[in-house]
Amino acid sequence: MAAKLKKGDKVVVLAGKDKGREGTIASVDPKVGKAVVDGINMAIRHTRQSQQSQGGRLPKAMPVDLSNLALVDPRDGGPTRVGFRMEDGKKVRYAKKSGEVIDA
């Protein structure tokens, strides 16, 4: 199945403690069906001090299920589904709500 959400997409959270918040996808794991979104689903992780970092209690973004994320429509800013269509012999992603192509 084609990946509907990709790294760098602006998404809105549909369910959970961060419902309604927006962020950018930092990484996607399609096998597990989860994505890490900057600033969403933050957890405190205790880190040991090293030569490169101070250590201590550091906030870290944890994975969110892909079913709880929706792409932000480029035209009106609301959540939308992702569709695929052929344009000039290429398969492109588009926002179903407005019909705009996401990546050119």
Side-chain angles (χ1 to χ4, degrees):
M1 185 161 159
K4 293 183 184 264
L5 298 175
K6 295 181 178 182
K7 179 180 176 178
D9 283 346
K10 191 165 183 188
V11 293
V12 63
V13 181
L14 301 175
K17 66 178 184 179
D18 293 318
K19 181 178 179 177
R21 292 183 59 197
E22 293 183 6
T24 305
I25 295 181
S27 67
V28 179
D29 189 357
K31 258 187 181 168
V32 183
K34 292 184 183 272
V36 175
V37 183
D38 293 330
I40 304 294
N41 198 22
M42 299 300 286
I44 299 293
R45 290 288 170 251
H46 295 74
T47 312
R48 181 180 286 259
Q49 183 175 349
S50 67
Q51 288 183 337
Q52 290 83 18
S53 65
Q54 175 63 33
R57 299 179 59 198
L58 303 174
K60 180 182 178 186
M62 301 304 286
V64 180
D65 204 84
L66 288 174
S67 65
N68 294 331
L69 299 175
L71 189 75
V72 173
D73 195 308
R75 188 174 293 170
D76 69 0
T80 183
R81 293 188 306 229
V82 179
F84 295 93
R85 66 178 173 218
M86 298 298 284
E87 285 188 3
D88 301 325
K90 286 186 165 183
K91 184 176 169 183
V92 296
R93 296 185 311 150
Y94 72 98
K96 288 235 179 175
K97 192 182 274 187
S98 64
E100 284 193 36
V101 174
I102 298 164
D103 30 39

